[in-house]
Amino acid sequence: MYAIVNASGFNGKGEKFEQQTILIKEGKLERVDSSKEVPEGYEVIDATGKVVTPGLIDVHTHIGVFEQGIGREGHDFNETSSATTAQIRALDGINPFDQGFEDARQGGVTTVQILPGSANVIGGEMAIVKTAGTVVDEMIVQAPSGLKAATGENPKRVHGGKGNLPTTRMGVAALLRQKLIEAQNYLEKKEDKERNLELEQIAKVLEGKMPLRVHAHRAEDIATVLRVKNEFNIDVTIEHGTEGHLITDFIAKHDVSIAVGPTMTSRSKVELVNRGWHTLPAYAEANIPFAITTDHPVVTIEHLITSAIMSVKHGLDESIAMKALTLNAAKHLGIDDRVGSLEEGKDADIVIWSGDPFDLRNSVERTMIDGHWVFG
């Protein structure tokens, strides 16, 4: 049991707080208020002069399935044997000993969503995990947390380059629709058929049990995703959305959350020609909910806060930037009942910074996950 006293910082809800006492018991936030009273038995941590925030959340990563420093053997994030592989699960490829998890803890990132890659039109199931642990089954927050799909250049290049469907954006959209229809048919007649793991996974999207999370950088790809969303009446999130600033009025009509990024990267392909920090303020102005992502290891996960700093430098309000790493990120993942803000009853995921986290000269001093100090 811990008591963080004289705590000031960001509560995750877009608000700053000052001189609060935070009580942690059995892995949960027991009390967050201005009372100075600390019950017996609590270890006291004085946060005077520090800044306290909720644990940061990266909603779109390949941590543990795209390992660093290993090479091809650690690249377990794209099953490229077929253009649709809904039957695979990121959970089965996550290595909890990947250096990226330690980097996450040192960077104040306590929760991540781990996705298959974007080589396929449908890539497989994803999982949300805490960033501390040695067995992934014990790190899970939610699994499955969505079904990965991808539009644009990646599936065209990987499969079209072999002369297979899809070779065009039209082919990508057609194959996505085809698989959704096959899953609809499977649901209607599944009692008369043998089990089909691929269609079972896609059926979960049609039944509203999990969202379809779709890699879409370019404006026309985002429009295609929203078209499919409406056609099949499914829950969708946009992953990347780096050209969404070109069509914010259109996106705003569709009740969709966007994982924006990786913005702190090069314009390495045609989809990234228009990427820039201006995208985030444009979403904020249009009241489109968004989170910020590194797409680790495209941008390594310790730079999640750096990405927020850069967004503030280019016009995003500081409170909105922090929400994009905390409560809005939790809402994007559908786990805001557990994480994302410093509120009683939520998981005790807390970061203590040496100073203002939006000043790159400051750093994480301590990271807590589920009531346990995991760094510092």
Side-chain angles (χ1 to χ4, degrees):
M1 298 185 295
Y2 296 97
I4 303 174
V5 300
N6 302 315
S8 300
F10 297 84
N11 64 10
K13 299 186 290 182
E15 304 159 349
K16 289 185 176 182
F17 65 93
E18 293 185 2
Q19 295 299 305
Q20 300 277 294
T21 298
I22 302 170
L23 298 185
I24 297 109
K25 183 178 181 181
E26 297 179 352
K28 298 291 183 180
L29 295 171
E30 182 184 20
R31 195 185 84 203
V32 182
D33 59 26
S34 58
S35 170
K36 303 297 184 184
E37 181 185 346
V38 176
E40 268 189 56
Y42 285 72
E43 182 178 335
V44 176
I45 293 97
D46 189 349
T48 300
K50 313 298 182 183
V51 175
V52 179
T53 71
L56 307 185
I57 301 167
D58 195 330
V59 299
H60 184 118
T61 78
H62 307 289
I63 190 170
V65 294
F66 189 169
E67 298 177 56
Q68 298 182 81
I70 293 179
R72 188 177 182 276
E73 292 82 0
H75 295 181
D76 271 339
F77 64 115
N78 276 317
E79 177 57 56
T80 58
S81 53
S82 171
T84 62
T85 55
Q87 67 270 32
I88 72 166
R89 297 172 179 171
L91 194 64
D92 295 323
I94 297 170
N95 177 10
F97 298 97
D98 177 11
Q99 177 63 37
F101 283 106
E102 175 62 23
D103 293 342
R105 296 190 291 270
Q106 292 183 18
V109 182
T110 55
T111 303
V112 293
Q113 182 171 233
I114 302 173
L115 296 77
S118 53
N120 301 340
V121 176
I122 301 178
E125 282 190 353
M126 52 196 71
I128 302 167
V129 303
K130 296 292 181 74
T131 57
T134 56
V135 179
V136 69
D137 305 71
E138 297 172 351
M139 299 160 66
I140 293 169
V141 177
Q142 186 172 311
S145 57
L147 184 66
K148 175 69 180 292
T151 61
E153 298 303 315
N154 287 7
K156 282 171 55 183
R157 172 178 52 82
V158 173
H159 299 284
K162 302 173 186 175
N164 300 325
L165 184 71
T167 62
T168 65
R169 278 181 160 75
M170 296 180 293
V172 170
L175 190 51
L176 179 57
R177 286 190 179 95
Q178 177 184 323
K179 285 297 177 179
L180 286 165
I181 290 169
E182 287 179 16
Q184 284 179 331
N185 293 338
Y186 178 78
L187 277 173
E188 291 173 5
K189 302 174 182 177
K190 69 178 180 180
E191 293 182 2
D192 303 324
K193 292 184 176 182
E194 293 184 2
R195 289 185 63 183
N196 181 310
L197 184 56
E198 180 182 27
L199 296 181
E200 279 186 17
Q201 309 285 61
I202 300 172
K204 293 175 187 176
V205 172
L206 294 168
E207 294 174 311
K209 295 179 179 177
M210 65 180 176
L212 189 68
R213 302 192 188 273
V214 191
H215 166 114
H217 281 278
R218 280 171 53 157
E220 68 266 39
D221 291 331
I222 295 170
T224 295
V225 174
L226 297 178
R227 193 177 307 123
V228 171
K229 175 185 188 294
N230 292 337
E231 288 173 18
F232 290 89
N233 191 30
I234 55 177
D235 185 15
V236 162
T237 65
I238 303 294
E239 305 296 314
H240 304 307
T242 48
E243 258 193 17
H245 58 275
L246 300 177
I247 55 168
T248 53
D249 289 346
F250 181 74
I251 295 172
K253 299 173 183 176
H254 287 84
D255 186 27
V256 65
S257 178
I258 303 179
V260 188
T263 310
M264 206 171 77
T265 186
S266 67
R267 296 179 177 88
S268 57
K269 53 185 176 180
V270 67
E271 292 176 310
L272 296 172
V273 168
N274 288 315
R275 76 105 182 92
W277 298 107
H278 52 280
T279 304
L280 294 98
Y283 286 147
E285 187 175 345
N287 292 316
I288 296 168
F290 66 90
I292 296 173
T293 178
T294 61
D295 197 11
H296 174 93
V298 179
V299 173
T300 50
I301 197 160
E302 66 268 26
H303 288 299
L304 182 61
I305 189 63
T306 314
S307 300
I309 291 170
M310 292 299 294
S311 70
V312 170
K313 178 181 177 180
H314 289 82
L316 188 66
D317 182 87
E318 208 173 76
S319 63
I320 296 175
M322 181 55 72
K323 278 186 73 175
L325 305 182
T326 53
L327 190 57
N328 278 3
K331 288 179 178 178
H332 183 89
L333 299 179
I335 55 170
D336 51 300
D337 60 325
R338 282 191 58 177
V339 295
S341 58
L342 298 177
E343 296 181 86
E344 293 176 13
K346 288 195 173 185
D347 294 357
D349 295 351
I350 300 172
V351 184
I352 300 177
W353 305 77
S354 61
D356 179 5
F358 289 104
D359 184 336
L360 198 52
R361 293 170 295 184
N362 293 319
S363 59
V364 174
E365 291 193 345
R366 288 192 176 202
T367 303
M368 172 181 279
I369 295 178
D370 293 332
H372 301 284
W373 296 112
V374 296
F375 171 72

